[in-house]
Amino acid sequence: ILRSNKGFSDITGYSSSEVIGKNMNILNSGKQDKYFYEQFWKQLIEKGAYQGTIWNRGKNHSLYRQWVSFTAIPCNNGGRKYVAILSNITEQYQLDQEVRQLAFYDPLTSLANRRLLLDRIKQELATTKRSKLFGSLIFLDIDKFKSLNDSCGHHIGDQLLIQVAKRLSAILREEDTASRFGGDEFVVLIHAAKPDADGAGNNALIISNKIIDQLNKPFYLDDGEHFITPSIGYTLYSDNGCIAEELL
């Protein structure tokens, strides 16, 4: 770092005297991996400019989201210097995340909501047109959930739904999607990764049995121990011309 202004100090907490002569990696947050920085330098060297958002870490170790714009400045000796313009967009990022959470996630369980589920099913169906792989869609609901709500109260029903959601999430891989479809109905989208229907069907059966095993274990709610059973079924999808609503 050759020079910095007051705006840099306001954002990072570092005065000019603390950073002159230092490497920019003093701001490294650890949130971006080695590949990110390889692509960053590749674009900056080849195109002479880079724009994007990154996470950085200030002097007080707090993380902040930042919009950055780097521009290469040719030097008389044939080398380059770089001017970086930095903007702290943490508040806007957090607001965007809150809006996204409200738009795409169930407020009770934090699982994907119906809107996000349908969008991901459509993405999977579009992908299978190219890959020809098979995935599955698992639909389940809780038997006699209305009776639990009526006899024990909605707050107990809500506690149960939250715990069901946690158990579903613990079973699945990162590329799969667990969603609350509505009420006591849950849908699990299994990423298309099997080369044939038999493989996808066996995988769906294994995951369905894992779900049943997990949901057959006791639930400890405010009013004591409860046992539930789920009704569950699945269907397969691939490049078969189906749309999301038909699969459901």
PDB file of all heavy atoms in Angstrom, residues 166-186:
ATOM      1  N   LYS A 166     -35.375 -29.493  11.423  1.00  0.00           N
ATOM      2  CA  LYS A 166     -33.966 -29.699  11.782  1.00  0.00           C
ATOM      3  C   LYS A 166     -33.525 -31.124  11.461  1.00  0.00           C
ATOM      4  O   LYS A 166     -32.405 -31.345  10.981  1.00  0.00           O
ATOM      5  CB  LYS A 166     -33.750 -29.399  13.264  1.00  0.00           C
ATOM      6  CG  LYS A 166     -33.834 -27.917  13.598  1.00  0.00           C
ATOM      7  CD  LYS A 166     -33.615 -27.666  15.091  1.00  0.00           C
ATOM      8  CE  LYS A 166     -33.668 -26.179  15.401  1.00  0.00           C
ATOM      9  NZ  LYS A 166     -33.504 -25.914  16.856  1.00  0.00           N
ATOM     10  N   ARG A 167     -34.386 -32.090  11.711  1.00  0.00           N
ATOM     11  CA  ARG A 167     -34.025 -33.490  11.436  1.00  0.00           C
ATOM     12  C   ARG A 167     -33.920 -33.733   9.929  1.00  0.00           C
ATOM     13  O   ARG A 167     -33.044 -34.468   9.480  1.00  0.00           O
ATOM     14  CB  ARG A 167     -35.046 -34.432  12.080  1.00  0.00           C
ATOM     15  CG  ARG A 167     -35.023 -34.370  13.593  1.00  0.00           C
ATOM     16  CD  ARG A 167     -35.899 -35.435  14.242  1.00  0.00           C
ATOM     17  NE  ARG A 167     -36.041 -35.213  15.672  1.00  0.00           N
ATOM     18  CZ  ARG A 167     -36.631 -36.043  16.509  1.00  0.00           C
ATOM     19  NH1 ARG A 167     -37.146 -37.187  16.051  1.00  0.00           N
ATOM     20  NH2 ARG A 167     -36.726 -35.770  17.806  1.00  0.00           N
ATOM     21  N   LEU A 168     -34.815 -33.117   9.158  1.00  0.00           N
ATOM     22  CA  LEU A 168     -34.722 -33.246   7.701  1.00  0.00           C
ATOM     23  C   LEU A 168     -33.415 -32.665   7.188  1.00  0.00           C
ATOM     24  O   LEU A 168     -32.720 -33.275   6.375  1.00  0.00           O
ATOM     25  CB  LEU A 168     -35.900 -32.526   7.030  1.00  0.00           C
ATOM     26  CG  LEU A 168     -37.269 -33.186   7.092  1.00  0.00           C
ATOM     27  CD1 LEU A 168     -38.305 -32.300   6.415  1.00  0.00           C
ATOM     28  CD2 LEU A 168     -37.252 -34.557   6.438  1.00  0.00           C
ATOM     29  N   SER A 169     -33.079 -31.477   7.660  1.00  0.00           N
ATOM     30  CA  SER A 169     -31.865 -30.798   7.194  1.00  0.00           C
ATOM     31  C   SER A 169     -30.616 -31.594   7.533  1.00  0.00           C
ATOM     32  O   SER A 169     -29.645 -31.609   6.765  1.00  0.00           O
ATOM     33  CB  SER A 169     -31.776 -29.396   7.817  1.00  0.00           C
ATOM     34  OG  SER A 169     -32.868 -28.600   7.405  1.00  0.00           O
ATOM     35  N   ALA A 170     -30.628 -32.263   8.683  1.00  0.00           N
ATOM     36  CA  ALA A 170     -29.452 -33.033   9.112  1.00  0.00           C
ATOM     37  C   ALA A 170     -29.210 -34.240   8.222  1.00  0.00           C
ATOM     38  O   ALA A 170     -28.070 -34.707   8.090  1.00  0.00           O
ATOM     39  CB  ALA A 170     -29.626 -33.475  10.561  1.00  0.00           C
ATOM     40  N   ILE A 171     -30.257 -34.749   7.590  1.00  0.00           N
ATOM     41  CA  ILE A 171     -30.140 -35.942   6.747  1.00  0.00           C
ATOM     42  C   ILE A 171     -29.556 -35.602   5.380  1.00  0.00           C
ATOM     43  O   ILE A 171     -28.798 -36.385   4.794  1.00  0.00           O
ATOM     44  CB  ILE A 171     -31.527 -36.606   6.571  1.00  0.00           C
ATOM     45  CG1 ILE A 171     -32.007 -37.181   7.897  1.00  0.00           C
ATOM     46  CG2 ILE A 171     -31.491 -37.703   5.501  1.00  0.00           C
ATOM     47  CD1 ILE A 171     -33.455 -37.618   7.868  1.00  0.00           C
ATOM     48  N   LEU A 172     -29.867 -34.423   4.864  1.00  0.00           N
ATOM     49  CA  LEU A 172     -29.623 -34.112   3.460  1.00  0.00           C
ATOM     50  C   LEU A 172     -28.223 -33.577   3.200  1.00  0.00           C
ATOM     51  O   LEU A 172     -27.561 -33.038   4.086  1.00  0.00           O
ATOM     52  CB  LEU A 172     -30.657 -33.097   2.981  1.00  0.00           C
ATOM     53  CG  LEU A 172     -32.116 -33.521   3.105  1.00  0.00           C
ATOM     54  CD1 LEU A 172     -33.032 -32.411   2.646  1.00  0.00           C
ATOM     55  CD2 LEU A 172     -32.374 -34.790   2.307  1.00  0.00           C
ATOM     56  N   ARG A 173     -27.830 -33.694   1.935  1.00  0.00           N
ATOM     57  CA  ARG A 173     -26.581 -33.098   1.478  1.00  0.00           C
ATOM     58  C   ARG A 173     -26.822 -31.636   1.131  1.00  0.00           C
ATOM     59  O   ARG A 173     -27.958 -31.184   1.005  1.00  0.00           O
ATOM     60  CB  ARG A 173     -26.056 -33.841   0.257  1.00  0.00           C
ATOM     61  CG  ARG A 173     -25.854 -35.336   0.451  1.00  0.00           C
ATOM     62  CD  ARG A 173     -25.731 -36.028  -0.895  1.00  0.00           C
ATOM     63  NE  ARG A 173     -26.925 -35.801  -1.713  1.00  0.00           N
ATOM     64  CZ  ARG A 173     -27.054 -36.214  -2.974  1.00  0.00           C
ATOM     65  NH1 ARG A 173     -26.073 -36.874  -3.554  1.00  0.00           N
ATOM     66  NH2 ARG A 173     -28.163 -35.972  -3.644  1.00  0.00           N
ATOM     67  N   GLU A 174     -25.728 -30.906   0.947  1.00  0.00           N
ATOM     68  CA  GLU A 174     -25.829 -29.474   0.663  1.00  0.00           C
ATOM     69  C   GLU A 174     -26.566 -29.207  -0.644  1.00  0.00           C
ATOM     70  O   GLU A 174     -27.272 -28.201  -0.779  1.00  0.00           O
ATOM     71  CB  GLU A 174     -24.423 -28.860   0.617  1.00  0.00           C
ATOM     72  CG  GLU A 174     -24.427 -27.341   0.492  1.00  0.00           C
ATOM     73  CD  GLU A 174     -23.033 -26.750   0.570  1.00  0.00           C
ATOM     74  OE1 GLU A 174     -22.109 -27.447   1.030  1.00  0.00           O
ATOM     75  OE2 GLU A 174     -22.869 -25.583   0.168  1.00  0.00           O
ATOM     76  N   GLU A 175     -26.416 -30.100  -1.628  1.00  0.00           N
ATOM     77  CA  GLU A 175     -27.028 -29.869  -2.939  1.00  0.00           C
ATOM     78  C   GLU A 175     -28.511 -30.233  -2.978  1.00  0.00           C
ATOM     79  O   GLU A 175     -29.186 -29.977  -3.966  1.00  0.00           O
ATOM     80  CB  GLU A 175     -26.276 -30.640  -4.026  1.00  0.00           C
ATOM     81  CG  GLU A 175     -26.226 -32.142  -3.825  1.00  0.00           C
ATOM     82  CD  GLU A 175     -24.969 -32.600  -3.116  1.00  0.00           C
ATOM     83  OE1 GLU A 175     -24.466 -31.852  -2.236  1.00  0.00           O
ATOM     84  OE2 GLU A 175     -24.486 -33.699  -3.423  1.00  0.00           O
ATOM     85  N   ASP A 176     -29.030 -30.854  -1.916  1.00  0.00           N
ATOM     86  CA  ASP A 176     -30.453 -31.178  -1.838  1.00  0.00           C
ATOM     87  C   ASP A 176     -31.207 -30.031  -1.152  1.00  0.00           C
ATOM     88  O   ASP A 176     -30.601 -29.190  -0.495  1.00  0.00           O
ATOM     89  CB  ASP A 176     -30.662 -32.480  -1.068  1.00  0.00           C
ATOM     90  CG  ASP A 176     -29.924 -33.651  -1.697  1.00  0.00           C
ATOM     91  OD1 ASP A 176     -29.802 -33.664  -2.939  1.00  0.00           O
ATOM     92  OD2 ASP A 176     -29.459 -34.538  -0.950  1.00  0.00           O
ATOM     93  N   THR A 177     -32.521 -30.025  -1.294  1.00  0.00           N
ATOM     94  CA  THR A 177     -33.336 -28.953  -0.717  1.00  0.00           C
ATOM     95  C   THR A 177     -34.465 -29.530   0.112  1.00  0.00           C
ATOM     96  O   THR A 177     -35.259 -30.329  -0.384  1.00  0.00           O
ATOM     97  CB  THR A 177     -33.942 -28.066  -1.826  1.00  0.00           C
ATOM     98  OG1 THR A 177     -32.895 -27.465  -2.591  1.00  0.00           O
ATOM     99  CG2 THR A 177     -34.811 -26.964  -1.227  1.00  0.00           C
ATOM    100  N   ALA A 178     -34.538 -29.126   1.379  1.00  0.00           N
ATOM    101  CA  ALA A 178     -35.684 -29.446   2.226  1.00  0.00           C
ATOM    102  C   ALA A 178     -36.564 -28.203   2.288  1.00  0.00           C
ATOM    103  O   ALA A 178     -36.071 -27.092   2.479  1.00  0.00           O
ATOM    104  CB  ALA A 178     -35.230 -29.840   3.620  1.00  0.00           C
ATOM    105  N   SER A 179     -37.858 -28.394   2.131  1.00  0.00           N
ATOM    106  CA  SER A 179     -38.767 -27.247   2.135  1.00  0.00           C
ATOM    107  C   SER A 179     -40.012 -27.558   2.958  1.00  0.00           C
ATOM    108  O   SER A 179     -40.430 -28.713   3.082  1.00  0.00           O
ATOM    109  CB  SER A 179     -39.173 -26.888   0.704  1.00  0.00           C
ATOM    110  OG  SER A 179     -40.030 -27.880   0.168  1.00  0.00           O
ATOM    111  N   ARG A 180     -40.577 -26.495   3.508  1.00  0.00           N
ATOM    112  CA  ARG A 180     -41.902 -26.610   4.116  1.00  0.00           C
ATOM    113  C   ARG A 180     -42.901 -26.133   3.071  1.00  0.00           C
ATOM    114  O   ARG A 180     -42.914 -24.963   2.705  1.00  0.00           O
ATOM    115  CB  ARG A 180     -41.997 -25.778   5.388  1.00  0.00           C
ATOM    116  CG  ARG A 180     -43.350 -25.955   6.096  1.00  0.00           C
ATOM    117  CD  ARG A 180     -43.481 -25.048   7.290  1.00  0.00           C
ATOM    118  NE  ARG A 180     -44.804 -25.190   7.903  1.00  0.00           N
ATOM    119  CZ  ARG A 180     -45.357 -24.261   8.677  1.00  0.00           C
ATOM    120  NH1 ARG A 180     -44.688 -23.141   8.947  1.00  0.00           N
ATOM    121  NH2 ARG A 180     -46.565 -24.448   9.172  1.00  0.00           N
ATOM    122  N   PHE A 181     -43.717 -27.065   2.610  1.00  0.00           N
ATOM    123  CA  PHE A 181     -44.618 -26.774   1.510  1.00  0.00           C
ATOM    124  C   PHE A 181     -45.870 -26.052   1.990  1.00  0.00           C
ATOM    125  O   PHE A 181     -46.512 -25.315   1.245  1.00  0.00           O
ATOM    126  CB  PHE A 181     -44.995 -28.080   0.805  1.00  0.00           C
ATOM    127  CG  PHE A 181     -45.532 -27.892  -0.582  1.00  0.00           C
ATOM    128  CD1 PHE A 181     -44.735 -27.389  -1.593  1.00  0.00           C
ATOM    129  CD2 PHE A 181     -46.840 -28.227  -0.875  1.00  0.00           C
ATOM    130  CE1 PHE A 181     -45.229 -27.216  -2.876  1.00  0.00           C
ATOM    131  CE2 PHE A 181     -47.346 -28.066  -2.154  1.00  0.00           C
ATOM    132  CZ  PHE A 181     -46.539 -27.544  -3.159  1.00  0.00           C
ATOM    133  N   GLY A 182     -46.199 -26.260   3.260  1.00  0.00           N
ATOM    134  CA  GLY A 182     -47.368 -25.617   3.844  1.00  0.00           C
ATOM    135  C   GLY A 182     -47.927 -26.481   4.955  1.00  0.00           C
ATOM    136  O   GLY A 182     -47.951 -27.709   4.843  1.00  0.00           O
ATOM    137  N   GLY A 183     -48.380 -25.854   6.057  1.00  0.00           N
ATOM    138  CA  GLY A 183     -48.935 -26.622   7.169  1.00  0.00           C
ATOM    139  C   GLY A 183     -47.939 -27.647   7.685  1.00  0.00           C
ATOM    140  O   GLY A 183     -46.826 -27.309   8.067  1.00  0.00           O
ATOM    141  N   ASP A 184     -48.337 -28.910   7.680  1.00  0.00           N
ATOM    142  CA  ASP A 184     -47.449 -29.988   8.127  1.00  0.00           C
ATOM    143  C   ASP A 184     -46.874 -30.764   6.946  1.00  0.00           C
ATOM    144  O   ASP A 184     -46.412 -31.887   7.106  1.00  0.00           O
ATOM    145  CB  ASP A 184     -48.198 -30.938   9.062  1.00  0.00           C
ATOM    146  CG  ASP A 184     -49.322 -31.678   8.351  1.00  0.00           C
ATOM    147  OD1 ASP A 184     -49.905 -31.101   7.415  1.00  0.00           O
ATOM    148  OD2 ASP A 184     -49.607 -32.837   8.720  1.00  0.00           O
ATOM    149  N   GLU A 185     -46.888 -30.157   5.762  1.00  0.00           N
ATOM    150  CA  GLU A 185     -46.372 -30.814   4.552  1.00  0.00           C
ATOM    151  C   GLU A 185     -44.948 -30.339   4.259  1.00  0.00           C
ATOM    152  O   GLU A 185     -44.670 -29.139   4.275  1.00  0.00           O
ATOM    153  CB  GLU A 185     -47.268 -30.501   3.354  1.00  0.00           C
ATOM    154  CG  GLU A 185     -48.666 -31.063   3.474  1.00  0.00           C
ATOM    155  CD  GLU A 185     -49.539 -30.678   2.293  1.00  0.00           C
ATOM    156  OE1 GLU A 185     -49.274 -29.637   1.659  1.00  0.00           O
ATOM    157  OE2 GLU A 185     -50.492 -31.429   2.012  1.00  0.00           O
ATOM    158  N   PHE A 186     -44.082 -31.294   3.999  1.00  0.00           N
ATOM    159  CA  PHE A 186     -42.691 -31.011   3.669  1.00  0.00           C
ATOM    160  C   PHE A 186     -42.347 -31.697   2.350  1.00  0.00           C
ATOM    161  O   PHE A 186     -42.844 -32.785   2.060  1.00  0.00           O
ATOM    162  CB  PHE A 186     -41.751 -31.519   4.760  1.00  0.00           C
ATOM    163  CG  PHE A 186     -41.920 -30.822   6.081  1.00  0.00           C
ATOM    164  CD1 PHE A 186     -42.895 -31.233   6.983  1.00  0.00           C
ATOM    165  CD2 PHE A 186     -41.100 -29.757   6.418  1.00  0.00           C
ATOM    166  CE1 PHE A 186     -43.058 -30.596   8.204  1.00  0.00           C
ATOM    167  CE2 PHE A 186     -41.247 -29.113   7.642  1.00  0.00           C
ATOM    168  CZ  PHE A 186     -42.226 -29.528   8.527  1.00  0.00           C
TER     169      PHE A 186
END
